[in-house]
């Protein structure tokens, strides 16, 4: 769903078996809460949006290996990112 000018995902329901979600280059202002419930998720791409905050619930994503938040409006990320023990790549360039 990259490059779709999506600004929100209303009542989004994601399959609990998803391992990759790419919502890059859209108009999202926040990370949909449903994404934090995807415990099998390995790759989450949210680059080039308008995201200003990441929830502490990011720590639930224990299987996450790649998290791309580049080119958003973040001032920082919560320390709970440290609970993502499989994380190998974290992209944060071009934020605030």
């Amino acid at each position: 769903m990259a490059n779709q000018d999506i600004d929100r995902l209303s009542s989004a329901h994601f399959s609990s078996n998803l391992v990759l979600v790419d919502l890059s280059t859209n108009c999202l202002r926040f990370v949909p809460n449903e994404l934090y419930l995807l415990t099998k998720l390995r790759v989450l791409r949210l680059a080039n949006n308008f995201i200003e905050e990441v929830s502490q619930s990011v720590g639930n994503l224990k299987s996450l290996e790649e998290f791309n938040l580049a080119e958003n409006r973040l001032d920082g990320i919560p320390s709970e990112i440290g609970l993502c023990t499989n994380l190998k790549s974290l992209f944060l360039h071009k934020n605030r």
Side-chain angles (χ1 to χ4, degrees), residues 15-21 38 40-44 63-64:
S15 168
S16 61
N17 293 318
L18 279 176
V19 294
L20 185 148
V21 172
L38 302 177
K40 295 180 182 176
L41 194 62
R42 285 193 230 151
V43 177
L44 181 52
S63 299
L64 198 62

Side-chain angles (χ1 to χ4, degrees), residues 4-66:
Q4 299 295 312
D5 290 330
I6 296 169
D7 63 356
R8 74 183 131 224
L9 296 171
S10 302
S11 302
H13 297 284
F14 297 97
S15 168
S16 61
N17 293 318
L18 279 176
V19 294
L20 185 148
V21 172
D22 188 348
L23 291 167
S24 299
T25 313
N26 280 292
C27 299
L28 295 173
R29 298 196 178 279
F30 61 92
V31 179
N33 287 330
E34 293 86 354
L35 291 180
Y36 297 121
L37 302 175
L38 302 177
T39 57
K40 295 180 182 176
L41 194 62
R42 285 193 230 151
V43 177
L44 181 52
R45 297 181 180 143
L46 299 171
N48 198 22
N49 278 283
F50 300 97
I51 297 169
E52 296 182 1
E53 184 178 12
V54 174
S55 168
Q56 294 175 344
S57 298
V58 70
N60 296 338
L61 302 176
K62 307 284 188 215
S63 299
L64 198 62
E65 296 175 8
E66 177 190 318

